[in-house]
Amino acid sequence: MKTRLEGLLQHALSQAMKGGALQSTSLPPLLLEVPKTPAFGDLASTVALALARAERRPPRQIAETIKAHLVDPEGILAAVEIEGPGYLNFRFSPAFWAQTLAAIGEAQGPLRFADLGAGKRVQVEFVSANPTGPLTIGHGRNAVLGDAIARLLEATGHQVTREYYFNNAGRQMTLLGESVKARYCELLGDPLALPEEGYRGQYIVEIARTLVAQHGEQLRQTPASGPFKEAAERAIFADIERTLERLGIRFDVYFNEDSLYAGGQIEAVLAELRARDLACERDGAVWLRGEALGLDKDRVLVKSSGEPAYRLPDIAYHVQKLGRGFDLIVDVLGADHIAENEEVRVALRALGQAAEKIKPVIYQFVTLTRGGEQVKMSTRRAEYVTVDELLDEVGSDVVRIFFLTRKADSHLEFDLDLAKKQSADNPVFYIQYAHARICSLFRQAQAAGGARPPAAAAHLETLAEAEAVAVVKLLARYTDMVEDAARALEPHRVVFFLIDLASEFHRFYNHHRVLTDDPQRSAARLYLAHAVQRVLQSGLGLLGVRAPETM
């Protein structure tokens, strides 16, 4: 919808500039938006207001000039109105809505979007949980958000690499090995001697039990850093991969932080920071000169123990990522990483790296509620809720859509009671039911001897009905919405759109019988339903969610 109008506006502006009616020499942003109030048209532009300073004229006069130069050879506009100080409001013609319907209904293969990426290489790094325990609901939001962003970017012409970054070394892995050994010895009759900060979930007991079954008492004198840590890492990572598979999520690259140590990248980054006088030693530790870089204070790079702080390998990792030639790097991170992310990007800029290529997507935390109260679903796995437990209770489709019902930077409350409702209040049921309802319509039409409406049919009859017009106008916004969501890395927009589309279709269905005694009327309404079906399938696909034919 925006693309067609942009072409007309660009031509009008160019002609006005060439003829001297406008003094500007370059095309400004067209600033097209869907008005919040339908009375102001189908699309509106504030381009005249944006040009006012350069033109040194009232924006309303500029709007009149633009309108006078608009040429609409295909008749896609029914009206162009100027409102207020100079807003340009556009109303599309019935012919345009019919073209829109046909473009969706008759498209061969999947619906296509603008080639925004033009083959640009994008890395989306997400989940990135270390192999110390099962994926929690916080990891679940990260996983679904990252995968949906990757799908949006792929749909709009980007070459996407999905990457999982993890660390199987360091203190947390040492504690993991010690925790497994403590449980192993406990199973052999020794008193439990868990480290103070050790891992206490039931999964640790299960790993220890497997080791007892395989080795008996042979490992009593073996260091915790040996088979105990290794067995835990294998078992936990296998569990993580199974969980991701249940969510329909795959990765192209698994990157191990330990390789940065083995390859010398961490030492190289530290040496470069020192060479640029951006690192100093104090109190036995190595510090990043944060204040010199605009941070509120210095930050530790290497602790007094000699162990690197987490930000140092993160800087080295991003140097490595940038070195792989990605045009854009998307980091999906929890809100607890906001400060760290800024520190990493500041350090990268100071090192002469293209930090502007890194786009963080920061998400807020998730709470789980039942009966209006926050709940823990299980005490079997310590003090958290796992993604697997959530999947067991409500299924992958619900998990994926519910995690995307809020903008990433908004706190998300996952209502279990709502998630299991089969009603219009449940967005998953509401959207999927619209698709299943359309499939049922076509089964009924086929059983009655009817066929899917032919591509050549005019179908303008449906556009006389207000409810049908509302559906078609929403369908016309679909590609714009997907492209805007991809640019902004905001997949929640797809969920909101699908809820609106399902609502408009249900309203149309409830006001008008689709299958009637009039073959032409039935064909026209089926054609509209078919277009809705295609958009629902496309949108749900972008979210990694099924489009069921029956419910």
Side-chain angles (χ1 to χ4, degrees):
M1 188 162 76
K2 285 183 181 179
T3 303
R4 299 283 295 277
L5 185 53
E6 281 172 353
L8 298 184
L9 265 178
Q10 286 170 352
H11 181 266
L13 286 162
S14 297
Q15 291 302 110
M17 290 173 187
K18 286 179 182 178
L22 291 177
Q23 302 306 308
S24 301
T25 57
S26 59
L27 290 174
L30 301 180
L31 307 172
L32 288 168
E33 296 292 342
V34 177
K36 293 182 180 179
T37 304
F40 294 135
D42 303 309
L43 278 177
S45 173
T46 56
V47 64
L49 283 76
L51 283 170
R53 177 175 292 183
E55 292 292 322
R56 296 183 179 181
R57 284 197 289 158
R60 192 172 180 93
Q61 287 183 16
I62 299 170
E64 293 284 2
T65 299
I66 296 171
K67 180 179 177 180
H69 285 81
L70 268 174
V71 179
D72 180 18
E74 297 180 0
I76 69 170
L77 293 176
V80 180
E81 300 160 351
I82 300 172
E83 298 288 346
Y87 298 105
L88 279 162
N89 296 340
F90 303 90
R91 299 181 190 278
F92 288 97
S93 66
F96 172 80
W97 302 125
Q99 291 171 22
T100 297
L101 197 58
I104 295 170
E106 297 168 22
Q108 299 299 309
L111 299 182
R112 298 188 179 279
F113 310 98
D115 188 13
L116 304 180
K120 289 180 180 177
R121 297 179 61 229
V122 181
Q123 185 222 49
V124 182
E125 185 228 319
F126 60 113
V127 184
S128 296
N130 290 331
T132 56
L135 296 182
T136 66
I137 57 172
H139 297 130
R141 187 176 192 188
N142 186 316
V144 171
L145 181 59
D147 187 59
I149 288 171
R151 288 169 183 263
L152 279 171
L153 291 171
E154 285 174 330
T156 51
H158 301 81
Q159 293 183 32
V160 177
T161 296
R162 293 167 168 82
E163 185 152 318
Y164 188 121
Y165 173 76
F166 68 98
N167 180 18
N168 63 354
R171 175 164 171 71
Q172 58 188 350
M173 296 302 292
T174 299
L175 285 170
L176 179 67
E178 291 173 352
S179 302
V180 173
K181 183 170 183 180
R183 290 297 188 182
Y184 168 87
C185 292
E186 181 190 29
L187 290 170
L188 295 177
D190 295 347
L192 178 62
L194 270 175
E196 185 177 347
E197 298 178 6
Y199 294 90
R200 302 174 182 274
Q202 179 65 22
Y203 66 99
I204 299 293
V205 177
E206 299 304 327
I207 294 167
R209 185 169 286 124
T210 299
L211 288 172
V212 170
Q214 292 174 345
H215 302 282
E217 299 189 15
Q218 296 176 13
L219 302 179
R220 272 187 183 275
Q221 305 306 316
T222 304
S225 59
F228 296 102
K229 181 177 81 70
E230 292 166 4
E233 180 188 338
R234 284 195 305 272
I236 292 168
F237 222 110
D239 184 59
I240 288 172
E241 289 182 311
R242 282 192 295 270
T243 303
L244 293 171
E245 185 177 351
R246 292 182 70 186
L247 278 170
I249 293 173
R250 62 171 179 83
F251 284 91
D252 303 301
V253 176
Y254 287 89
F255 190 97
N256 190 341
E257 180 183 312
D258 209 30
S259 68
L260 297 170
Y261 292 88
Q265 286 107 317
I266 290 177
E267 281 299 324
V269 164
L270 192 55
E272 182 67 17
L273 288 169
R274 281 177 165 142
R276 293 173 182 253
D277 196 27
L278 296 173
C280 63
E281 294 189 23
R282 188 170 68 246
D283 302 327
V286 181
W287 297 74
L288 177 70
R289 293 187 186 276
E291 292 185 9
L293 297 174
L295 299 174
D296 59 341
K297 60 181 180 180
D298 292 352
R299 294 288 192 272
V300 175
L301 292 171
V302 182
K303 301 174 185 177
S304 57
S305 64
E307 179 186 358
Y310 52 80
R311 60 183 61 85
L312 179 57
D314 276 3
I315 295 168
Y317 175 48
H318 282 84
V319 169
Q320 201 273 353
K321 289 204 283 190
L322 288 164
R324 282 186 258 163
F326 292 113
D327 298 291
L328 174 66
I329 292 169
V330 179
D331 292 340
V332 183
L333 304 166
D336 53 335
H337 290 275
I338 292 176
E340 177 196 346
N341 179 263
E342 179 58 24
E343 293 160 12
V344 169
R345 287 191 290 157
V346 163
L348 289 169
R349 282 193 291 270
L351 290 171
Q353 297 286 330
E356 69 277 1
K357 290 185 177 182
I358 300 168
K359 173 69 175 176
V361 176
I362 307 293
Y363 66 93
Q364 289 293 332
F365 298 106
V366 183
T367 56
L368 210 59
T369 63
R370 195 195 307 272
E373 296 184 1
Q374 188 172 340
V375 297
K376 292 184 174 66
M377 291 174 63
S378 171
T379 57
R380 295 185 303 107
R381 300 192 178 191
E383 298 301 318
Y384 50 77
V385 179
T386 70
V387 174
D388 278 323
E389 289 170 322
L390 200 55
L391 288 169
D392 289 342
E393 182 149 357
V394 299
S396 176
D397 290 345
V398 171
V399 168
R400 290 190 71 118
I401 287 186
F402 267 58
F403 276 146
L404 295 172
T405 53
R406 293 289 182 273
K407 190 176 178 181
D409 61 5
S410 298
H411 174 80
L412 191 147
E413 182 179 287
F414 197 116
D415 186 335
L416 282 165
D417 296 323
L418 177 61
K420 292 190 284 187
K421 274 187 179 180
Q422 293 195 353
S423 73
D425 295 330
N426 181 341
V428 188
F429 177 84
Y430 196 56
I431 296 166
Q432 290 184 323
Y433 182 58
H435 184 268
R437 173 173 263 177
I438 292 169
C439 292
S440 175
L441 283 172
F442 282 111
R443 287 194 296 270
Q444 293 174 47
Q446 188 174 18
R452 181 160 289 186
H459 307 310
L460 288 175
E461 178 271 339
T462 60
L463 302 181
E465 299 157 351
E467 294 79 14
V469 172
V471 172
V472 177
K473 286 187 176 184
L474 202 51
L475 291 173
R477 290 168 49 191
Y478 177 62
T479 55
D480 291 339
M481 178 279 301
V482 170
E483 291 156 15
D484 288 344
R487 290 187 188 96
L489 306 179
E490 293 183 345
H492 71 277
R493 298 189 189 196
V494 181
V495 177
F496 292 176
F497 178 89
L498 293 178
I499 292 171
D500 289 344
L501 180 58
S503 176
E504 292 295 352
F505 177 74
H506 288 309
R507 184 177 294 112
F508 168 76
Y509 181 93
N510 292 332
H511 278 80
H512 305 283
R513 285 184 56 201
V514 175
L515 301 177
T516 71
D517 295 333
D518 182 340
Q520 184 176 355
R521 186 184 297 268
S522 297
R525 292 177 178 174
L526 280 172
Y527 196 85
L528 178 62
H530 172 56
V532 173
Q533 180 187 44
R534 296 212 64 191
V535 169
L536 288 172
Q537 289 170 348
S538 173
L540 288 170
L542 291 173
L543 301 175
V545 174
R546 296 175 307 116
E549 295 188 3
T550 59
M551 290 184 70

